[in-house]
Amino acid sequence: MVTRTATALLKACADVRDGTAAEGVLGVAPKYVAAPATVAEAGEVMRVAAERGLTVVPRGGETRLDWGRPPAGCDLLVDTVRLDRVVEHAAGDLVIKVEAGLTMERLAELLAAQGQQLALDIPLPGSTVGGTLATAAAGPRRLLYGSARDLLIGVTIVRADGTIAKAGGKVVKNVAGYDLGKLLTGSYGTLGLIVEAAFRLHPVPAAQAYITRTVPDPAGAHQAVQAVLHSAVVPSAIEVDAPADGPITVAVLVEGVAESIPSRGAEVARLLTEDARISDDPPPWWSRYPEGSTLIEVAAPPAALAEVLSHADSHVSIRGSAGSGHWQVGVPAETPPAKVAALVDGLRTALAPHRGSAVVRYAPEAVRDEIDLWGPVPALSLMRRVKDQFDPEHRLSPGRFVGGI
């Protein structure tokens, strides 16, 4: 690794080494891997990368590194594993600021000790704060608490040229620059390296209950979900599970003070009909992606639920947040690429009247080569202009995002 580039990187960051094929991002191996220990080091690493024209791909917990397209290049993999500190926890203000490499599990443990939570359910263990923001990941409780975009109130990034930039604040009412946080959330590392984030927190509920019911068909699932959505119960989540080899299940989560849960749970059970079951524990599939080597994420109004579920068959599983209109479709490995492409086209056609979308999050190479992972994106020209402004040389996660951004 004795090259001028390696020497320059080592001056910027003590933890730099040659990349390996095993660390490849969808088969694209990095030339170098750097793991900065501080935000300042991250800035220096990115500055050196800019000076030497290196393509850069961020890495967190690798739980979603296979989402999107392979990068057009990966000279430098920036590993955020050492950026794992809590910068500040203003418990009284229900706000926390953390570094991007902190795992969501560790963050949950730290907050639980104070009776607080970041209300994001992350289906993949090991996910980091930065990776969660970069992919805009969220789980069942987005219905009540919102997504990562809604809970993020401040962000620190390293821009393509190594400049450290901040937006937002540490208190909920300070929203200056908040749009930058929204812009970065879901950008797949194409606009900057996320190094710190500040979030709005919530108290941990005193009690909860899960109410589940098996329904006969997609129409029954739609009816059950709509009944709860239009009630006064205020659920935290409404989920649906349609496995390839089993019946459809609707599950509802209610949270709050202990005294309210029995009556609210009973009301949900009444809305779902008398055979609904009430439990303190979630069903085993709760907040998990469906099985499969291809994962398709569908977004549409909740009213489109029956149409979404109609695409489930003896091979395809569908699961997700029926209350907020976000579902995941799992397709098994043995499915021919042409059949996956037909499924994606069918979903997009069915959802077009609802202005919905179907995005392929991950898939085998043969499937990726067969389809457009993202589908139609009306704002693509605007997104390209934003990319040009933030990363004029297109060195950050090149080609990973929609439209080859």
Side-chain angles (χ1 to χ4, degrees):
M1 192 184 71
V2 184
T3 65
R4 290 183 178 179
T5 297
T7 300
L9 287 170
L10 280 166
K11 287 182 179 179
C13 173
D15 191 346
V16 177
R17 56 181 173 79
D18 289 333
T20 65
E23 296 176 295
V25 181
L26 290 171
V28 181
K31 293 181 181 178
Y32 308 103
V33 178
T38 66
V39 171
E41 273 194 356
E44 282 299 297
V45 166
M46 294 290 281
R47 181 187 61 77
V48 172
E51 288 178 350
R52 298 182 176 269
L54 305 181
T55 52
V56 178
V57 177
R59 178 175 72 184
E62 296 191 67
T63 57
R64 293 180 175 82
L65 205 57
D66 59 348
W67 285 28
R69 287 280 182 188
C74 184
D75 297 320
L76 177 63
L77 190 67
V78 178
D79 193 332
T80 62
V81 64
R82 299 172 68 197
L83 295 170
D84 63 350
R85 288 171 285 272
V86 174
V87 179
E88 183 178 354
H89 181 197
D93 293 328
L94 288 171
V95 168
I96 194 167
K97 185 177 184 181
V98 299
E99 292 181 333
L102 185 67
T103 66
M104 297 297 289
E105 291 98 332
R106 180 59 180 152
L107 175 57
E109 290 173 4
L110 294 170
L111 291 174
Q114 300 291 324
Q116 297 179 349
Q117 62 171 333
L118 174 59
L120 288 174
D121 310 289
I122 304 303
L124 298 174
S127 297
T128 61
V129 168
T132 298
L133 291 175
T135 55
R141 292 184 300 164
R142 77 174 85 197
L143 174 63
L144 180 64
Y145 298 101
S147 66
R149 279 189 177 92
D150 303 305
L151 297 171
L152 181 69
I153 61 172
V155 66
T156 302
I157 68 167
V158 182
R159 298 192 60 174
D161 61 0
T163 301
I164 298 171
K166 299 183 179 182
K170 294 184 298 183
V171 294
V172 175
K173 61 185 178 183
N174 183 354
V175 295
Y178 184 67
D179 283 349
L180 178 60
K182 288 186 176 181
L183 196 63
L184 290 164
T185 304
S187 64
Y188 279 66
T190 59
L191 301 180
L193 174 66
I194 299 171
V195 288
E196 292 179 346
F199 294 100
R200 175 164 54 99
L201 305 175
H202 289 85
V204 173
Q208 61 187 22
Y210 295 86
I211 305 93
T212 59
R213 180 204 167 194
T214 300
V215 295
D217 50 34
H222 171 80
Q223 184 177 16
V225 169
Q226 290 298 312
V228 178
L229 270 178
H230 291 90
S231 72
V233 171
V234 190
S236 295
I238 307 174
E239 296 290 289
V240 64
D241 179 46
D245 56 353
I248 300 171
T249 301
V250 174
V252 179
L253 168 64
V254 291
E255 300 175 308
V257 296
E259 294 80 4
S260 73
I261 295 302
S263 60
R264 292 171 64 201
E267 175 61 12
V268 172
R270 184 189 69 78
L271 292 168
L272 296 182
T273 69
E274 65 281 353
D275 61 343
R277 301 171 298 281
I278 302 176
S279 173
D280 294 334
D281 301 313
W285 50 265
W286 185 269
S287 191
R288 297 178 182 270
Y289 293 137
E291 296 294 327
S293 62
T294 295
L295 183 73
I296 307 164
E297 186 167 295
V298 173
L305 174 61
E307 289 180 71
V308 173
L309 292 181
S310 69
H311 287 80
D313 58 25
S314 59
H315 299 288
V316 175
S317 301
I318 299 177
R319 180 181 296 160
S321 302
S324 61
H326 294 84
W327 303 274
Q328 288 78 40
V329 181
V331 186
E334 63 272 15
T335 308
K339 187 172 181 179
V340 180
L343 170 64
V344 173
D345 287 342
L347 283 166
R348 288 171 178 165
T349 299
L351 296 175
H354 300 280
R355 298 186 178 181
S357 63
V359 175
V360 179
R361 292 306 188 190
Y362 60 76
E365 183 178 0
V367 174
R368 294 200 307 268
D369 292 342
E370 187 81 17
I371 59 179
D372 176 1
L373 299 187
W374 306 93
V377 180
L380 184 56
S381 60
L382 174 60
M383 295 170 72
R384 292 189 191 279
R385 292 197 297 272
V386 172
K387 172 67 170 178
D388 291 340
Q389 181 178 357
F390 276 78
D391 180 21
E393 298 175 342
H394 290 207
R395 294 184 300 100
L396 304 185
S397 299
R400 293 271 283 149
F401 200 26
V402 56
I405 291 176

